[in-house]
Amino acid sequence: MDNIIIPYNHIQTAHCENGVASGLLQHHGLKFMTEPLMFGLGSGIFYIHIPFLKVNNGPAISYRSMPGWIFSRASKLLDIKVKRTKFNSEKEAVDFLNNQLKLGNPVGCQVGVFNLPYFPTEYRFHFNAHNLVVFGKEDGNYLVSDPVMETTTLLSEADMLKVRFAKGPLAPKGHIYYPQNVKEVSKEQIQRAIKIATKSSAFDMLNIPGSICGVDGIKYTAKQIRKWRDKLGPKKAGLYLGQIVRMQEEIGTGGGGFRFLYAAFLEQAHSYIPNDELLTLSDEFTKIGDLWRASAINMGRIYKGRLNDQKDYDLCASMLEEISDLEKRAFQKLKKIKLG
Amino acid sequence: MKKDEVPQDPSALVGVTRDVCYVKDANGKYTTDLSIGWDVKKQALDNAWEDINERVTEAALLVKKGEKSPIYYFMELKLMDLPVLAGYTGFWQFTIKRHFKPSVFKNLNEKQLLSYAKAFDITVDELKEFNG
């Protein structure tokens, strides 16, 4: 295969899926598509604590919606078709990728990070829902735009195959995706999309039945934390708190469990729909994000070994309960807000 | 978070990349900034690794004592759990659990051993010969 370099503009974003989705849409001419807009239109903000499931020997908590949903939801609202393909055969997966590159089409790939050589070793867990863009091939190496990296990187053919066929939960199966027939998007379409996406985030956070999703899910976590010290012992309880903080603050979140990113979205939404309540709500989400950060610092005191009384766990729990109440109020306002 | 509050505590990211943070600039508008790390999450990650290393040491000891097969050790070493290892090998989780027993491991055939070796990215000999 000859060398192919597709002129693709690498963008660094907080979150990989936002980055790939907004980068690909920008490539297809939708220059307005920023990371916050993608995240907001994709209704990325969420909270879920899945009971009994363990991830890396800790609690399974997420501050965002299911992998893949952000791009799917946002593109549906903007009437953009996203072509997605998974493969049973590795050879087909390789051929498909090479063909797309030959056609001059940069594509999104879902990969596992355990074998991603350019990642810091400390971050290489068996997490299979990472996303990157492949935009060419040079001297047998794929040219990769990974949105969490500051610059573009390379992946050998062997490494590319390994990460595309990582196994375990959320196994990518060579998953490739790209937008098709991207047409111009009008201001009215964006306004309508903002309206629908904010309502659907409000629904996700307030109205999903059961006690593990949305604002109820945050309370569920709080309730668990109160029990952790006695149930798990200080060491394991500390590791569990650390896992919460990592899911909330690690690279990919933009800080404060994606809440700052959502506040940035609401600010940008205001430039399409000049309702000042959007700015007020943006400020509220900034404050909520700050509280999540404060909660992380507080949990840190426990897993750094400085504090370890039941009252310290209770304080962590009551901070989460307060955050849950604030998010509930903010999303209720978002649900009611008139957006044209 | 304000732009001037972005933590810059050296972490595992140094020399690889920096973390995009969404922050408010001096005019109260959202912008992004890059961070080389935050002490609070660095400690969480360090603790997680400390725990992994302890698990690996413990697993090696169990192999040495003859209580677990090398499969158990390499699973821990490669940061896997049963669902991940089942994904790589194609074995059921309860089958893998049986293969943790040294007495069962002893009788695995070459094909089964090769599945594990491939999953762990090692040779069959390395797998068979590990004794803690």
Side-chain angles (χ1 to χ4, degrees):
Chain A
M1 180 171 168
D2 295 333
N3 288 349
I4 296 172
I5 303 173
I6 303 166
Y8 177 82
N9 186 23
H10 171 72
I11 49 169
Q12 191 188 6
T13 52
H15 187 249
C16 63
E17 189 186 338
N18 298 332
V20 167
S22 53
L24 288 176
L25 291 183
Q26 284 181 17
H27 179 83
H28 287 275
L30 304 186
K31 302 289 178 215
F32 65 89
M33 190 49 81
T34 60
E35 173 175 30
L37 201 57
M38 176 53 70
F39 182 70
L41 294 184
S43 299
I45 195 158
F46 196 47
Y47 187 90
I48 185 167
H49 183 157
I50 306 172
F52 311 115
L53 181 71
K54 294 276 171 287
V55 175
N56 295 322
N57 302 305
I61 287 175
S62 179
Y63 289 78
R64 44 152 306 183
S65 59
M66 278 285 287
W69 283 24
I70 294 176
F71 198 12
S72 296
R73 284 168 146 185
S75 51
K76 204 171 166 193
L77 287 179
L78 299 175
D79 204 17
I80 296 162
K81 191 175 158 30
V82 181
K83 167 90 178 152
R84 295 178 180 276
T85 317
K86 290 189 178 185
F87 304 87
N88 286 322
S89 130
E90 295 188 351
K91 188 182 174 299
E92 272 174 42
V94 173
D95 290 346
F96 190 94
L97 174 59
N98 292 344
N99 272 332
Q100 288 302 317
L101 296 177
K102 277 181 206 155
L103 294 170
N105 191 26
V107 291
C109 283
Q110 183 190 337
V111 299
V113 301
F114 186 72
N115 283 307
L116 210 50
Y118 57 77
F119 252 39
T121 321
E122 288 87 341
Y123 283 88
R124 285 166 56 180
F125 292 92
H126 292 278
F127 172 67
N128 287 335
H130 186 56
N131 293 276
L132 47 80
V133 173
V134 187
F135 65 97
K137 207 172 175 188
E138 206 175 18
D139 306 330
N141 288 315
Y142 287 102
L143 308 179
V144 169
S145 163
D146 185 324
V148 306
M149 302 299 285
E150 285 184 76
T151 55
T152 58
T153 48
L154 296 175
L155 271 183
S156 71
E157 285 176 357
D159 286 335
M160 182 63 89
L161 197 60
K162 258 189 195 170
V163 296
R164 288 181 70 197
F165 280 91
K167 300 283 165 46
L170 300 172
K173 293 189 167 173
H175 185 188
I176 280 189
Y177 56 95
Y178 51 91
Q180 275 180 320
N181 311 324
V182 183
K183 289 170 288 207
E184 238 177 272
V185 173
S186 67
K187 193 178 171 192
E188 289 68 36
Q189 267 181 298
I190 300 172
Q191 289 168 331
R192 184 180 154 269
I194 290 171
K195 198 171 139 187
I196 298 174
T198 46
K199 305 298 170 195
S200 99
S201 286
F203 180 89
D204 289 352
M205 288 299 292
L206 300 171
N207 301 111
I208 295 180
S211 60
I212 61 163
C213 295
V215 298
D216 295 337
I218 303 173
K219 286 215 164 135
Y220 175 81
T221 304
K223 204 170 126 195
Q224 301 302 312
I225 290 175
R226 288 183 199 279
K227 299 182 212 160
W228 280 352
R229 184 177 171 275
D230 287 345
K231 202 170 125 191
L232 308 169
K235 185 170 172 257
K236 206 164 180 190
L239 284 168
Y240 275 32
L241 291 175
Q243 174 121 325
I244 295 181
V245 170
R246 284 169 53 216
M247 292 301 121
Q248 179 188 317
E249 298 296 337
E250 258 318 344
I251 188 159
T253 64
F258 296 92
R259 271 53 186 167
F260 294 136
L261 196 45
Y262 202 68
F265 160 67
L266 292 172
E267 186 187 281
Q268 290 188 9
H270 181 261
S271 64
Y272 293 96
I273 306 174
N275 178 339
D276 287 348
E277 280 177 75
L278 283 170
L279 292 181
T280 318
L281 270 174
S282 171
D283 282 342
E284 278 184 39
F285 277 101
T286 303
K287 278 181 204 132
I288 288 166
D290 286 334
L291 276 175
W292 278 113
R293 303 274 288 186
S295 155
I297 292 171
N298 195 49
M299 289 178 179
R301 291 192 184 109
I302 295 179
Y303 60 72
K304 283 177 184 170
R306 289 186 200 145
L307 303 174
N308 190 33
D309 288 333
Q310 181 57 36
K311 70 170 174 24
D312 305 317
Y313 287 83
D314 290 340
L315 179 63
C316 289
S318 41
M319 280 180 90
L320 290 196
E321 281 154 357
E322 192 188 334
I323 291 172
S324 169
D325 289 338
L326 289 171
E327 290 206 354
K328 190 172 185 176
R329 230 175 298 155
F331 281 106
Q332 280 169 342
K333 281 187 207 162
L334 193 64
K335 198 176 180 176
K336 287 195 197 115
I337 194 170
K338 285 258 177 297
L339 297 173
Chain B
M1 181 165 50
K2 297 197 181 73
K3 198 172 160 91
D4 54 17
E5 295 166 353
V6 173
Q8 300 292 355
D9 306 326
S11 72
L13 295 176
V14 172
V16 183
T17 189
R18 285 179 293 172
D19 199 358
V20 174
C21 298
Y22 276 80
V23 293
K24 290 264 197 177
D25 67 14
N27 301 318
K29 282 260 176 212
Y30 262 99
T31 180
T32 56
D33 202 4
L34 293 168
S35 162
I36 58 168
W38 187 26
D39 177 45
V40 171
K41 63 182 196 184
K42 180 185 182 293
Q43 187 69 51
L45 188 59
D46 287 351
N47 286 358
W49 275 98
E50 201 178 292
D51 182 55
I52 290 165
N53 293 334
E54 279 171 25
R55 295 173 76 96
V56 173
T57 313
E58 167 78 16
L61 198 68
L62 290 171
V63 176
K64 200 173 183 175
K65 285 201 261 179
E67 291 173 26
K68 295 274 187 201
S69 76
I71 292 170
Y72 181 76
Y73 167 79
F74 283 106
M75 179 183 79
E76 293 288 354
L77 183 71
K78 300 286 176 173
L79 316 184
M80 292 179 172
D81 54 13
L82 284 168
V84 173
L85 188 50
Y88 274 97
T89 57
F91 296 131
W92 294 92
Q93 295 187 29
F94 69 82
T95 310
I96 298 175
K97 270 193 201 163
R98 262 176 25 89
H99 296 170
F100 287 162
K101 289 187 194 157
S103 56
V104 178
F105 177 73
K106 220 172 50 203
N107 296 321
L108 294 184
N109 62 38
E110 275 303 300
K111 205 178 144 213
Q112 288 169 310
L113 289 171
L114 192 63
S115 299
Y116 282 113
K118 259 180 85 179
F120 299 136
D121 212 359
I122 54 173
T123 64
V124 171
D125 285 342
E126 282 172 299
L127 179 64
K128 278 202 297 203
E129 282 158 23
F130 180 79
N131 54 15

